[in-house]
Amino acid sequence: MKNIKKIIIVFTIIIVSVVLIRYVYNYSNNSNIGYKGSLPKVGAAIYKYDDEFMSYIRNSMEDASYGKIALIMNDSQNDENIQLMQIDEMISKGVCALAINLVNPKAAQIVIDKAKAWDLPVIFFNKEPDASVLNSYNKAWFVGTDSKESGILQGKMIVDLWNQNKSKWDKNHDGKISYVLLKGEPGHPDAKARSKYALDEIRKAGIPVEKLDEATAMWDAAKAKEKMDGWISKYNNKIEFVISNNDVMALGAIDSLEKNGYLSGNKFIPVVGIDAIPDAIKKIKEGKMVGTILNDANIQGKAIIDLVTNAAKGKNVFNGTSWRGNSDKSVRIHYVIIIKDNIDEAEQAYK
Ligand code: BGC
């Protein structure tokens, strides 16, 4: 009888201990909410997955995050309210830092206010917030490019290509470039700067320009094709250059030109874009597009993850990295002119 009592007591102790150990284990895991296992949790949002260039940035971020952070990635579906809700949700999941590609660049302040309330660092990327907003929070940075540089380089590229091919491309021999311009999303710093500086650069080189038309096609191929269809029937043979704020829209314009019998034989109209995505590189190789500007998605994705990993661990964002920070709290990756001759540079970047 005494033995049975002893066995029951030992058995009860074992069961209680197991339950207790499990409880303590679960509790310590939950209380350590900033971590998933040994990796700090980081919340990220892309303004919309359905943007080809952003999909390259996302892939690069996901690759670079492996083994460093537990990355929670969200598709904000181009909806500002959805993005703000996602940010609230990530904060409630206990992330240690945020990496945000804003839907609306003007909403940076709202994001900063949310992050500040929890003392969370924020790395904005691709769509640059206003400098005053970025400066208002010491735990906010921007990773991207210098929008102005892409416009200047696109303008320089157009000048060089035009000077080499003027006899063929200046159809009415008036010395002017008669162009149509496809613009990205209104309010996007890249769209604004690219539209301005590309044309300023051409004028600076002493080449007069004539704007036949311009329109926003929201970085989108289908919208760009529709615009180009309209311009081809409106201006017929007057168009001498198609300048696009990005490659995806340039590809939409090329699609329209090809369907309207252009880009083969002597019915040629030069098209340029920005990004150097693989489909554009293919068109340059085929001689259907004359150039683009490399916007290195791979390097930008790596820089975002390096900075946000350090931020999530409470370290200086540049700790142990080779990224050069600017005084305006940014890391900017340089653009590169890409034409047929140096196409392998772009192929390397998007490998
Ligand atoms: C890219 C575009 C892209 C946009 C998204 C720009 O930097 O050139 O292709 O659609 O960012 O914000």
Side-chain angles (χ1 to χ4, degrees), residues 81-305:
N81 291 325
I82 292 183
Q83 182 163 75
L84 295 175
M85 266 162 44
Q86 290 168 336
I87 291 172
D88 287 338
E89 206 181 303
M90 292 189 285
I91 293 175
S92 72
K93 280 185 183 159
V95 294
C96 303
L98 294 165
I100 306 296
N101 170 214
L102 292 161
V103 170
N104 173 8
K106 294 279 168 231
Q109 187 65 61
I110 307 176
V111 176
I112 284 185
D113 292 344
K114 286 182 186 293
K116 221 176 186 173
W118 295 90
D119 200 32
L120 292 178
V122 196
I123 310 294
F124 291 103
F125 59 97
N126 172 254
K127 294 192 198 178
E128 184 169 358
D130 287 344
S132 58
V133 178
L134 206 60
N135 275 325
S136 72
Y137 185 37
N138 63 344
K139 292 192 172 178
W141 292 269
F142 171 66
V143 174
T145 59
D146 173 4
S147 309
K148 185 176 168 185
E149 186 189 33
S150 54
I152 292 177
L153 291 184
Q154 193 185 44
K156 283 191 191 303
M157 175 174 72
I158 293 170
V159 168
D160 285 349
L161 291 167
W162 179 261
N163 286 339
Q164 287 159 25
N165 297 283
K166 209 170 9 198
S167 57
K168 287 177 283 167
W169 293 356
D170 187 8
K171 296 206 182 78
N172 58 2
H173 305 288
D174 67 350
K176 288 188 212 162
I177 302 182
S178 304
Y179 71 92
V180 289
L181 173 66
L182 286 163
K183 299 196 290 184
E185 192 189 346
H188 194 306
D190 289 349
K192 217 170 140 194
R194 290 172 186 175
S195 303
K196 174 177 166 35
Y197 291 104
L199 287 150
D200 279 3
E201 206 55 36
I202 303 171
R203 290 190 200 99
K204 257 204 221 160
I207 302 173
V209 288
E210 183 195 5
K211 179 171 82 184
L212 293 175
D213 227 317
E214 64 172 33
T216 176
M218 304 296 285
W219 306 121
D220 182 82
K223 290 196 176 73
K225 180 180 179 297
E226 204 184 297
K227 295 287 171 203
M228 196 68 219
D229 284 344
W231 290 338
I232 290 172
S233 59
K234 190 166 172 195
Y235 302 105
N236 199 6
N237 274 330
K238 282 195 187 149
I239 304 170
E240 293 172 338
F241 227 112
V242 180
I243 305 172
S244 175
N245 280 175
N246 81 343
D247 282 350
V248 167
M249 295 188 295
L251 292 167
I254 289 173
D255 192 14
S256 162
L257 285 167
E258 286 187 306
K259 290 199 170 115
N260 283 285
Y262 285 87
L263 304 183
S264 61
N266 54 1
K267 278 189 91 183
F268 189 77
I269 297 178
V271 180
V272 289
I274 291 180
D275 286 339
I277 54 171
D279 284 345
I281 295 307
K282 217 170 127 207
K283 289 289 176 195
I284 296 177
K285 278 186 169 167
E286 289 168 6
K288 311 261 175 186
M289 185 167 164
V290 295
T292 184
I293 304 296
L294 172 61
N295 186 6
D296 201 321
N298 188 23
I299 294 193
Q300 287 173 59
K302 285 186 176 140
I304 297 161
I305 295 300

Side-chain angles (χ1 to χ4, degrees), residues 288-346:
K288 311 261 175 186
M289 185 167 164
V290 295
T292 184
I293 304 296
L294 172 61
N295 186 6
D296 201 321
N298 188 23
I299 294 193
Q300 287 173 59
K302 285 186 176 140
I304 297 161
I305 295 300
D306 278 352
L307 265 68
V308 85
T309 303
N310 275 331
K313 292 179 176 167
K315 295 184 183 164
N316 177 306
V317 286
F318 299 110
N319 185 64
T321 76
S322 54
W323 308 113
R324 292 250 318 263
N326 302 308
S327 54
D328 61 357
K329 300 170 80 192
S330 70
V331 170
R332 298 180 194 273
I333 308 303
H334 283 298
Y335 287 100
V336 183
I337 292 178
I338 300 291
I339 51 170
K340 219 170 185 167
D341 299 345
N342 66 338
I343 209 113
D344 38 321
E345 243 180 275

